[in-house]
Amino acid sequence: MERTLTWRDLNRALLARQALIARVPDDPATVLERMAGLQAQYAPSMYIGLWTRIEGFERESLTRLLEAREVVQATILRATIHLVSRADFWPFLIGIRDARRDWYHRVDRGNIGPAELSAAAAGLRELLLQRPVRRAEIDQLYGAGVRGGIGMYLDMVRVPPSGTWARRRADLFGLAEDWVGAPDVTVEAGRELLVRRYLGGFGPAHRAEIADWAGLSVTDIAEVLSTMELRRFRDERGRELVDLPDQPLPDPQTPAPVRFLPTYDATLLVHARRTLILPEEHRTKVFHTRMPQSIGTFLVDGQVAGTWTVSKAGVVSWEPFETLPASVRRQVDAEAGALTEFHSTS
């Protein structure tokens, strides 16, 4: 019979796979593959997301990898800026390209059609073959409405030094095939890697959650899963969960240390609700329409227990949702102090 996994089983599995139980000594590219990429709408979130997962992580190490093109920042999953390894960039993008384009035309309110976007993409491609181009210049050439959809027809990356700790606005675009080389992956292979990365970083999971994260249909995901060797479980509501054969399922009583998460950390999004890493009673304190940039959070025993902010001087302060024991407050203070030091490092 299929084993039933409790929310705490799933919580500890997520923490282990996301390197939130123990920091890992691996390089950032390897960790990004392990965690299925990292959301990067706000550039410092990339650095903090890796700092909280990598032992001895230094800010400049990520900037150097961006400059060396070993990691890539681009609009990928759910039309959102993500940081991924160079090896994962094309499989991720090719796997979702058609679905992302279809989604764009369903939700676009400007009624800009494929013909206009294709023509603009062809023109911009010629310019990008010569040099990177800033978003303001794209707006000037084609208009902001076209710029919003041109990335559905032209594969681009965000080029450093923009989108880094020092220059946070990711508004400088380069041609993807020029930046990381031409793609050599099929849609099928790209989608299989997407599913493997998701299960490796967030599993065990429902197929609908994989689809939500990737921006693909449940039918697309089911087709990929049908070709894979999988473990199968049930959640406490009896729904099927799938997983890769070789991924960790820690004891649900495994201690989980205090960890600080950046804005929009993907562990908190709705596709990972089954883990209760963000208790539902606190969700509106982290995500709501009056706060589109989300907010930094910290974990106590594997669940969000409060929020944190950083001053202009780089000092991290925190606020719990509920009163914490003195011993836990000391742990939160220690981690906040380490994050303050990370912010202040020149």
Side-chain angles (χ1 to χ4, degrees), residues 189-249:
R191 290 183 175 181
E192 181 175 339
L193 183 67
L194 277 166
V195 171
R196 289 189 179 280
R197 290 288 188 250
Y198 184 81
L199 293 176
F202 295 96
H206 308 296
R207 62 183 61 187
E209 293 166 336
I210 307 171
D212 179 68
W213 170 81
L216 296 171
S217 72
V218 175
T219 300
D220 290 332
I221 297 302
E223 185 176 327
V224 176
L225 292 173
S226 69
T227 68
M228 297 173 61
E229 180 184 354
L230 299 167
R231 290 188 294 182
R232 299 180 188 275
F233 304 96
R234 294 283 170 182
D235 67 12
E236 292 175 289
R237 294 169 57 186
R239 297 176 299 175
E240 183 183 62
L241 301 164
V242 295
D243 197 15
L244 300 175
D246 57 350
Q247 291 299 310
L249 282 175

Short mmCIF file of all heavy atoms in Angstrom, two decimals, residues 189-249:
data_model
loop_
_atom_site.label_atom_id
_atom_site.label_comp_id
_atom_site.label_asym_id
_atom_site.label_seq_id
_atom_site.Cartn_x
_atom_site.Cartn_y
_atom_site.Cartn_z
N ALA A 189 12.51 16.86 -23.63
CA ALA A 189 13.62 16.77 -22.68
C ALA A 189 13.58 17.92 -21.69
O ALA A 189 13.88 17.75 -20.50
CB ALA A 189 14.95 16.75 -23.43
N GLY A 190 13.22 19.10 -22.18
CA GLY A 190 13.11 20.25 -21.29
C GLY A 190 12.06 20.04 -20.22
O GLY A 190 12.28 20.34 -19.03
N ARG A 191 10.92 19.51 -20.61
CA ARG A 191 9.84 19.30 -19.64
C ARG A 191 10.19 18.21 -18.64
O ARG A 191 9.84 18.30 -17.46
CB ARG A 191 8.54 18.98 -20.38
CG ARG A 191 8.00 20.20 -21.11
CD ARG A 191 6.67 19.96 -21.80
NE ARG A 191 6.19 21.21 -22.38
CZ ARG A 191 5.04 21.34 -23.03
NH1 ARG A 191 4.26 20.28 -23.22
NH2 ARG A 191 4.67 22.51 -23.50
N GLU A 192 10.89 17.19 -19.09
CA GLU A 192 11.29 16.15 -18.14
C GLU A 192 12.25 16.72 -17.11
O GLU A 192 12.15 16.41 -15.90
CB GLU A 192 11.94 14.96 -18.85
CG GLU A 192 12.34 13.88 -17.85
CD GLU A 192 12.88 12.62 -18.49
OE1 GLU A 192 12.60 12.38 -19.68
OE2 GLU A 192 13.58 11.86 -17.79
N LEU A 193 13.18 17.57 -17.54
CA LEU A 193 14.10 18.16 -16.58
C LEU A 193 13.35 19.08 -15.61
O LEU A 193 13.63 19.10 -14.41
CB LEU A 193 15.21 18.94 -17.28
CG LEU A 193 16.26 19.52 -16.31
CD1 LEU A 193 17.05 18.39 -15.64
CD2 LEU A 193 17.20 20.48 -17.01
N LEU A 194 12.39 19.84 -16.13
CA LEU A 194 11.58 20.68 -15.25
C LEU A 194 10.93 19.85 -14.15
O LEU A 194 10.97 20.22 -12.96
CB LEU A 194 10.50 21.39 -16.06
CG LEU A 194 10.88 22.67 -16.78
CD1 LEU A 194 9.81 23.04 -17.79
CD2 LEU A 194 11.09 23.82 -15.80
N VAL A 195 10.33 18.73 -14.52
CA VAL A 195 9.67 17.88 -13.53
C VAL A 195 10.68 17.31 -12.55
O VAL A 195 10.45 17.28 -11.33
CB VAL A 195 8.87 16.76 -14.23
CG1 VAL A 195 8.36 15.74 -13.21
CG2 VAL A 195 7.70 17.35 -15.01
N ARG A 196 11.83 16.86 -13.05
CA ARG A 196 12.86 16.31 -12.16
C ARG A 196 13.37 17.38 -11.20
O ARG A 196 13.59 17.11 -10.01
CB ARG A 196 14.02 15.74 -12.99
CG ARG A 196 13.66 14.45 -13.71
CD ARG A 196 14.88 13.79 -14.33
NE ARG A 196 14.48 12.56 -15.00
CZ ARG A 196 14.28 11.40 -14.36
NH1 ARG A 196 14.47 11.34 -13.05
NH2 ARG A 196 13.90 10.33 -15.02
N ARG A 197 13.58 18.57 -11.69
CA ARG A 197 14.05 19.64 -10.81
C ARG A 197 13.01 19.97 -9.75
O ARG A 197 13.33 20.19 -8.58
CB ARG A 197 14.40 20.89 -11.64
CG ARG A 197 15.63 20.73 -12.50
CD ARG A 197 16.89 20.72 -11.66
NE ARG A 197 18.08 20.77 -12.48
CZ ARG A 197 18.94 19.77 -12.64
NH1 ARG A 197 18.73 18.62 -12.02
NH2 ARG A 197 20.01 19.90 -13.39
N TYR A 198 11.74 20.01 -10.16
CA TYR A 198 10.71 20.34 -9.18
C TYR A 198 10.64 19.28 -8.09
O TYR A 198 10.63 19.61 -6.89
CB TYR A 198 9.34 20.48 -9.84
CG TYR A 198 8.29 20.91 -8.84
CD1 TYR A 198 8.16 22.25 -8.49
CD2 TYR A 198 7.49 19.98 -8.18
CE1 TYR A 198 7.26 22.65 -7.52
CE2 TYR A 198 6.58 20.37 -7.22
CZ TYR A 198 6.46 21.71 -6.89
OH TYR A 198 5.57 22.11 -5.92
N LEU A 199 10.59 18.02 -8.47
CA LEU A 199 10.51 16.97 -7.47
C LEU A 199 11.77 16.92 -6.62
O LEU A 199 11.71 16.65 -5.41
CB LEU A 199 10.25 15.62 -8.14
CG LEU A 199 8.88 15.47 -8.80
CD1 LEU A 199 8.78 14.12 -9.51
CD2 LEU A 199 7.76 15.64 -7.79
N GLY A 200 12.92 17.20 -7.23
CA GLY A 200 14.16 17.24 -6.47
C GLY A 200 14.21 18.36 -5.46
O GLY A 200 14.84 18.25 -4.41
N GLY A 201 13.52 19.47 -5.76
CA GLY A 201 13.55 20.62 -4.87
C GLY A 201 12.35 20.77 -3.97
O GLY A 201 12.43 21.37 -2.90
N PHE A 202 11.19 20.21 -4.40
CA PHE A 202 9.95 20.45 -3.68
C PHE A 202 9.14 19.19 -3.38
O PHE A 202 8.11 19.26 -2.73
CB PHE A 202 9.06 21.40 -4.48
CG PHE A 202 9.62 22.79 -4.63
CD1 PHE A 202 10.33 23.14 -5.77
CD2 PHE A 202 9.46 23.74 -3.65
CE1 PHE A 202 10.85 24.41 -5.92
CE2 PHE A 202 9.97 25.01 -3.79
CZ PHE A 202 10.67 25.35 -4.93
N GLY A 203 9.54 18.04 -3.92
CA GLY A 203 8.73 16.84 -3.78
C GLY A 203 8.75 16.25 -2.39
O GLY A 203 9.52 16.69 -1.53
N PRO A 204 7.91 15.23 -2.19
CA PRO A 204 6.86 14.69 -3.06
C PRO A 204 5.76 15.72 -3.31
O PRO A 204 5.50 16.57 -2.46
CB PRO A 204 6.33 13.48 -2.28
CG PRO A 204 7.40 13.17 -1.27
CD PRO A 204 8.01 14.47 -0.93
N ALA A 205 5.10 15.59 -4.47
CA ALA A 205 4.14 16.63 -4.86
C ALA A 205 2.99 16.07 -5.65
O ALA A 205 3.07 14.99 -6.24
CB ALA A 205 4.86 17.70 -5.68
N HIS A 206 1.90 16.82 -5.70
CA HIS A 206 0.78 16.53 -6.58
C HIS A 206 1.13 16.99 -7.99
O HIS A 206 1.83 18.00 -8.16
CB HIS A 206 -0.49 17.25 -6.13
CG HIS A 206 -0.83 17.04 -4.69
ND1 HIS A 206 -1.15 15.81 -4.19
CD2 HIS A 206 -0.90 17.90 -3.64
CE1 HIS A 206 -1.42 15.92 -2.89
NE2 HIS A 206 -1.25 17.17 -2.53
N ARG A 207 0.64 16.31 -8.98
CA ARG A 207 0.93 16.72 -10.35
C ARG A 207 0.42 18.12 -10.65
O ARG A 207 1.04 18.86 -11.42
CB ARG A 207 0.38 15.69 -11.35
CG ARG A 207 -1.14 15.52 -11.33
CD ARG A 207 -1.58 14.43 -12.29
NE ARG A 207 -1.01 13.13 -11.93
CZ ARG A 207 -1.11 12.03 -12.67
NH1 ARG A 207 -1.75 12.07 -13.82
NH2 ARG A 207 -0.58 10.90 -12.27
N ALA A 208 -0.71 18.50 -10.04
CA ALA A 208 -1.25 19.84 -10.27
C ALA A 208 -0.31 20.91 -9.72
O ALA A 208 -0.23 22.02 -10.28
CB ALA A 208 -2.63 19.97 -9.65
N GLU A 209 0.42 20.60 -8.65
CA GLU A 209 1.35 21.57 -8.09
C GLU A 209 2.57 21.74 -8.99
O GLU A 209 3.08 22.86 -9.15
CB GLU A 209 1.78 21.12 -6.70
CG GLU A 209 0.64 21.15 -5.70
CD GLU A 209 0.94 20.39 -4.42
OE1 GLU A 209 1.80 19.49 -4.45
OE2 GLU A 209 0.32 20.70 -3.40
N ILE A 210 3.01 20.66 -9.61
CA ILE A 210 4.12 20.77 -10.57
C ILE A 210 3.68 21.65 -11.74
O ILE A 210 4.42 22.52 -12.19
CB ILE A 210 4.54 19.38 -11.08
CG1 ILE A 210 4.84 18.43 -9.92
CG2 ILE A 210 5.76 19.50 -12.00
CD1 ILE A 210 5.07 16.99 -10.34
N ALA A 211 2.45 21.42 -12.21
CA ALA A 211 1.93 22.20 -13.33
C ALA A 211 1.83 23.68 -12.96
O ALA A 211 2.19 24.56 -13.76
CB ALA A 211 0.55 21.67 -13.74
N ASP A 212 1.37 23.98 -11.75
CA ASP A 212 1.23 25.37 -11.30
C ASP A 212 2.59 26.06 -11.27
O ASP A 212 2.74 27.20 -11.71
CB ASP A 212 0.59 25.39 -9.92
CG ASP A 212 0.45 26.79 -9.36
OD1 ASP A 212 -0.35 27.56 -9.91
OD2 ASP A 212 1.15 27.11 -8.38
N TRP A 213 3.59 25.38 -10.75
CA TRP A 213 4.94 25.95 -10.66
C TRP A 213 5.53 26.18 -12.04
O TRP A 213 6.13 27.23 -12.30
CB TRP A 213 5.82 25.00 -9.85
CG TRP A 213 7.29 25.32 -9.87
CD1 TRP A 213 7.92 26.25 -9.10
CD2 TRP A 213 8.29 24.71 -10.69
NE1 TRP A 213 9.28 26.24 -9.40
CE2 TRP A 213 9.52 25.31 -10.37
CE3 TRP A 213 8.25 23.71 -11.66
CZ2 TRP A 213 10.72 24.94 -10.98
CZ3 TRP A 213 9.45 23.34 -12.28
CH2 TRP A 213 10.66 23.96 -11.94
N ALA A 214 5.38 25.22 -12.93
CA ALA A 214 6.01 25.30 -14.25
C ALA A 214 5.23 26.15 -15.24
O ALA A 214 5.79 26.58 -16.26
CB ALA A 214 6.18 23.89 -14.83
N GLY A 215 3.95 26.39 -14.97
CA GLY A 215 3.13 27.11 -15.94
C GLY A 215 2.70 26.23 -17.10
O GLY A 215 2.45 26.71 -18.20
N LEU A 216 2.61 24.94 -16.86
CA LEU A 216 2.16 23.99 -17.86
C LEU A 216 0.81 23.41 -17.42
O LEU A 216 0.37 23.62 -16.29
CB LEU A 216 3.18 22.85 -18.03
CG LEU A 216 4.56 23.27 -18.55
CD1 LEU A 216 5.53 22.11 -18.45
CD2 LEU A 216 4.47 23.77 -19.99
N SER A 217 0.16 22.69 -18.30
CA SER A 217 -1.12 22.07 -17.95
C SER A 217 -0.88 20.77 -17.18
O SER A 217 0.20 20.15 -17.28
CB SER A 217 -1.94 21.78 -19.20
OG SER A 217 -1.36 20.70 -19.93
N VAL A 218 -1.88 20.35 -16.43
CA VAL A 218 -1.80 19.07 -15.72
C VAL A 218 -1.64 17.93 -16.72
O VAL A 218 -0.92 16.96 -16.46
CB VAL A 218 -3.04 18.86 -14.83
CG1 VAL A 218 -3.02 17.48 -14.18
CG2 VAL A 218 -3.11 19.94 -13.76
N THR A 219 -2.26 18.06 -17.88
CA THR A 219 -2.12 17.04 -18.93
C THR A 219 -0.68 16.94 -19.39
O THR A 219 -0.14 15.84 -19.58
CB THR A 219 -3.04 17.37 -20.12
OG1 THR A 219 -4.39 17.41 -19.67
CG2 THR A 219 -2.89 16.33 -21.22
N ASP A 220 -0.03 18.10 -19.57
CA ASP A 220 1.39 18.10 -19.97
C ASP A 220 2.23 17.37 -18.93
O ASP A 220 3.11 16.57 -19.26
CB ASP A 220 1.90 19.53 -20.12
CG ASP A 220 1.32 20.26 -21.32
OD1 ASP A 220 0.96 19.59 -22.31
OD2 ASP A 220 1.22 21.50 -21.27
N ILE A 221 1.99 17.69 -17.66
CA ILE A 221 2.78 17.08 -16.58
C ILE A 221 2.51 15.59 -16.49
O ILE A 221 3.43 14.78 -16.31
CB ILE A 221 2.47 17.78 -15.24
CG1 ILE A 221 2.88 19.25 -15.30
CG2 ILE A 221 3.17 17.06 -14.09
CD1 ILE A 221 4.35 19.50 -15.61
N ALA A 222 1.25 15.19 -16.63
CA ALA A 222 0.92 13.77 -16.57
C ALA A 222 1.63 13.00 -17.68
O ALA A 222 2.09 11.86 -17.47
CB ALA A 222 -0.60 13.58 -16.68
N GLU A 223 1.75 13.61 -18.84
CA GLU A 223 2.44 12.96 -19.96
C GLU A 223 3.91 12.74 -19.63
O GLU A 223 4.48 11.68 -19.91
CB GLU A 223 2.30 13.82 -21.22
CG GLU A 223 2.87 13.20 -22.46
CD GLU A 223 2.62 14.05 -23.70
OE1 GLU A 223 1.58 14.72 -23.75
OE2 GLU A 223 3.48 14.04 -24.59
N VAL A 224 4.55 13.73 -19.00
CA VAL A 224 5.95 13.57 -18.60
C VAL A 224 6.08 12.49 -17.53
O VAL A 224 6.94 11.61 -17.61
CB VAL A 224 6.52 14.90 -18.09
CG1 VAL A 224 7.95 14.71 -17.60
CG2 VAL A 224 6.48 15.96 -19.19
N LEU A 225 5.22 12.54 -16.53
CA LEU A 225 5.31 11.59 -15.42
C LEU A 225 5.12 10.15 -15.89
O LEU A 225 5.69 9.22 -15.31
CB LEU A 225 4.26 11.93 -14.37
CG LEU A 225 4.48 13.24 -13.59
CD1 LEU A 225 3.27 13.52 -12.70
CD2 LEU A 225 5.76 13.20 -12.76
N SER A 226 4.34 9.98 -16.95
CA SER A 226 4.06 8.62 -17.43
C SER A 226 5.30 7.92 -17.96
O SER A 226 5.32 6.69 -18.08
CB SER A 226 2.99 8.66 -18.52
OG SER A 226 3.49 9.26 -19.71
N THR A 227 6.36 8.67 -18.26
CA THR A 227 7.58 8.08 -18.80
C THR A 227 8.66 7.91 -17.74
O THR A 227 9.74 7.40 -18.04
CB THR A 227 8.15 8.97 -19.92
OG1 THR A 227 8.61 10.22 -19.36
CG2 THR A 227 7.10 9.27 -20.98
N MET A 228 8.38 8.31 -16.49
CA MET A 228 9.41 8.36 -15.46
C MET A 228 9.22 7.25 -14.43
O MET A 228 8.10 6.81 -14.16
CB MET A 228 9.38 9.72 -14.76
CG MET A 228 9.70 10.90 -15.67
SD MET A 228 9.46 12.50 -14.86
CE MET A 228 10.63 12.39 -13.51
N GLU A 229 10.35 6.85 -13.83
CA GLU A 229 10.29 5.95 -12.68
C GLU A 229 10.03 6.79 -11.44
O GLU A 229 10.78 7.74 -11.16
CB GLU A 229 11.62 5.19 -12.53
CG GLU A 229 11.64 4.23 -11.36
CD GLU A 229 13.00 3.57 -11.18
OE1 GLU A 229 13.88 3.78 -12.03
OE2 GLU A 229 13.17 2.86 -10.16
N LEU A 230 8.98 6.45 -10.70
CA LEU A 230 8.54 7.30 -9.61
C LEU A 230 8.23 6.50 -8.35
O LEU A 230 7.89 5.31 -8.43
CB LEU A 230 7.28 8.08 -10.01
CG LEU A 230 7.38 9.02 -11.20
CD1 LEU A 230 6.00 9.46 -11.65
CD2 LEU A 230 8.24 10.25 -10.85
N ARG A 231 8.32 7.16 -7.21
CA ARG A 231 7.71 6.67 -5.98
C ARG A 231 6.35 7.34 -5.84
O ARG A 231 6.18 8.50 -6.26
CB ARG A 231 8.55 7.04 -4.76
CG ARG A 231 9.86 6.29 -4.66
CD ARG A 231 10.54 6.58 -3.33
NE ARG A 231 10.95 7.98 -3.22
CZ ARG A 231 11.60 8.49 -2.17
NH1 ARG A 231 11.87 7.71 -1.13
NH2 ARG A 231 11.96 9.76 -2.14
N ARG A 232 5.42 6.64 -5.25
CA ARG A 232 4.08 7.21 -5.07
C ARG A 232 3.66 7.12 -3.62
O ARG A 232 3.90 6.12 -2.94
CB ARG A 232 3.07 6.49 -5.98
CG ARG A 232 3.41 6.64 -7.46
CD ARG A 232 2.43 5.94 -8.38
NE ARG A 232 2.91 5.97 -9.76
CZ ARG A 232 2.73 6.98 -10.61
NH1 ARG A 232 2.02 8.04 -10.21
NH2 ARG A 232 3.21 6.93 -11.84
N PHE A 233 3.03 8.19 -3.15
CA PHE A 233 2.56 8.30 -1.78
C PHE A 233 1.15 8.86 -1.79
O PHE A 233 0.60 9.17 -2.84
CB PHE A 233 3.49 9.22 -0.96
CG PHE A 233 4.93 8.82 -0.96
CD1 PHE A 233 5.83 9.39 -1.86
CD2 PHE A 233 5.41 7.88 -0.06
CE1 PHE A 233 7.16 9.03 -1.87
CE2 PHE A 233 6.75 7.51 -0.05
CZ PHE A 233 7.63 8.09 -0.96
N ARG A 234 0.60 9.04 -0.60
CA ARG A 234 -0.66 9.75 -0.42
C ARG A 234 -0.48 10.82 0.64
O ARG A 234 0.33 10.66 1.56
CB ARG A 234 -1.77 8.79 0.03
CG ARG A 234 -2.16 7.74 -0.99
CD ARG A 234 -3.03 8.30 -2.08
NE ARG A 234 -3.21 7.34 -3.18
CZ ARG A 234 -3.91 7.60 -4.28
NH1 ARG A 234 -4.49 8.77 -4.42
NH2 ARG A 234 -4.02 6.69 -5.22
N ASP A 235 -1.19 11.93 0.47
CA ASP A 235 -1.18 12.91 1.55
C ASP A 235 -2.30 12.57 2.53
O ASP A 235 -3.01 11.57 2.37
CB ASP A 235 -1.29 14.34 1.01
CG ASP A 235 -2.64 14.64 0.36
OD1 ASP A 235 -3.59 13.84 0.51
OD2 ASP A 235 -2.75 15.68 -0.31
N GLU A 236 -2.48 13.39 3.54
CA GLU A 236 -3.45 13.09 4.59
C GLU A 236 -4.89 13.19 4.12
O GLU A 236 -5.80 12.72 4.80
CB GLU A 236 -3.21 14.00 5.79
CG GLU A 236 -1.88 13.71 6.49
CD GLU A 236 -1.58 14.69 7.60
OE1 GLU A 236 -1.27 15.86 7.30
OE2 GLU A 236 -1.67 14.28 8.79
N ARG A 237 -5.08 13.79 2.93
CA ARG A 237 -6.42 13.86 2.34
C ARG A 237 -6.64 12.76 1.32
O ARG A 237 -7.67 12.70 0.66
CB ARG A 237 -6.63 15.24 1.70
CG ARG A 237 -6.64 16.38 2.70
CD ARG A 237 -6.58 17.72 2.02
NE ARG A 237 -7.68 17.91 1.08
CZ ARG A 237 -7.80 18.97 0.28
NH1 ARG A 237 -6.88 19.93 0.32
NH2 ARG A 237 -8.83 19.08 -0.55
N GLY A 238 -5.65 11.88 1.16
CA GLY A 238 -5.79 10.75 0.24
C GLY A 238 -5.38 11.04 -1.18
O GLY A 238 -5.51 10.16 -2.04
N ARG A 239 -4.84 12.23 -1.45
CA ARG A 239 -4.44 12.58 -2.81
C ARG A 239 -3.06 12.00 -3.14
O ARG A 239 -2.20 11.92 -2.26
CB ARG A 239 -4.42 14.10 -2.98
CG ARG A 239 -5.78 14.76 -2.80
CD ARG A 239 -5.67 16.26 -2.89
NE ARG A 239 -4.80 16.78 -1.84
CZ ARG A 239 -4.45 18.07 -1.74
NH1 ARG A 239 -4.87 18.94 -2.64
NH2 ARG A 239 -3.65 18.47 -0.75
N GLU A 240 -2.88 11.62 -4.39
CA GLU A 240 -1.62 11.01 -4.79
C GLU A 240 -0.50 12.05 -4.84
O GLU A 240 -0.66 13.16 -5.33
CB GLU A 240 -1.75 10.37 -6.17
CG GLU A 240 -0.47 9.64 -6.59
CD GLU A 240 -0.55 9.05 -7.99
OE1 GLU A 240 -0.73 9.82 -8.95
OE2 GLU A 240 -0.44 7.82 -8.10
N LEU A 241 0.65 11.62 -4.33
CA LEU A 241 1.88 12.38 -4.42
C LEU A 241 2.89 11.55 -5.22
O LEU A 241 2.94 10.33 -5.07
CB LEU A 241 2.46 12.65 -3.03
CG LEU A 241 1.59 13.42 -2.04
CD1 LEU A 241 2.14 13.26 -0.63
CD2 LEU A 241 1.53 14.89 -2.42
N VAL A 242 3.70 12.22 -6.04
CA VAL A 242 4.74 11.51 -6.79
C VAL A 242 6.10 12.08 -6.39
O VAL A 242 6.21 13.22 -5.94
CB VAL A 242 4.53 11.63 -8.32
CG1 VAL A 242 3.25 10.94 -8.74
CG2 VAL A 242 4.53 13.10 -8.76
N ASP A 243 7.13 11.26 -6.58
CA ASP A 243 8.47 11.66 -6.17
C ASP A 243 9.50 10.87 -6.95
O ASP A 243 9.21 9.80 -7.50
CB ASP A 243 8.66 11.41 -4.67
CG ASP A 243 9.84 12.17 -4.08
OD1 ASP A 243 10.35 13.09 -4.75
OD2 ASP A 243 10.24 11.84 -2.95
N LEU A 244 10.72 11.38 -6.99
CA LEU A 244 11.84 10.66 -7.58
C LEU A 244 12.30 9.57 -6.61
O LEU A 244 12.17 9.71 -5.39
CB LEU A 244 12.99 11.62 -7.89
CG LEU A 244 12.68 12.75 -8.86
CD1 LEU A 244 13.87 13.69 -8.98
CD2 LEU A 244 12.29 12.21 -10.23
N PRO A 245 12.89 8.50 -7.13
CA PRO A 245 13.25 7.37 -6.25
C PRO A 245 14.34 7.66 -5.25
O PRO A 245 14.40 7.02 -4.20
CB PRO A 245 13.71 6.30 -7.25
CG PRO A 245 13.14 6.70 -8.56
CD PRO A 245 13.09 8.20 -8.55
N ASP A 246 15.22 8.60 -5.53
CA ASP A 246 16.44 8.74 -4.73
C ASP A 246 16.46 9.99 -3.85
O ASP A 246 17.53 10.40 -3.37
CB ASP A 246 17.66 8.77 -5.65
CG ASP A 246 17.57 9.88 -6.70
OD1 ASP A 246 16.50 10.50 -6.82
OD2 ASP A 246 18.58 10.12 -7.39
N GLN A 247 15.33 10.60 -3.60
CA GLN A 247 15.32 11.84 -2.84
C GLN A 247 15.06 11.60 -1.35
O GLN A 247 14.40 10.63 -0.97
CB GLN A 247 14.25 12.78 -3.40
CG GLN A 247 14.59 13.32 -4.77
CD GLN A 247 15.87 14.13 -4.77
OE1 GLN A 247 16.05 15.02 -3.94
NE2 GLN A 247 16.77 13.80 -5.70
N PRO A 248 15.57 12.48 -0.50
CA PRO A 248 15.47 12.26 0.95
C PRO A 248 14.05 12.48 1.48
O PRO A 248 13.34 13.38 1.04
CB PRO A 248 16.43 13.30 1.53
CG PRO A 248 16.49 14.38 0.50
CD PRO A 248 16.38 13.68 -0.83
N LEU A 249 13.69 11.65 2.46
CA LEU A 249 12.46 11.82 3.24
C LEU A 249 12.87 11.74 4.71
O LEU A 249 12.83 10.68 5.33
CB LEU A 249 11.44 10.74 2.91
CG LEU A 249 10.64 10.89 1.62
CD1 LEU A 249 9.75 9.68 1.40
CD2 LEU A 249 9.79 12.16 1.66
#
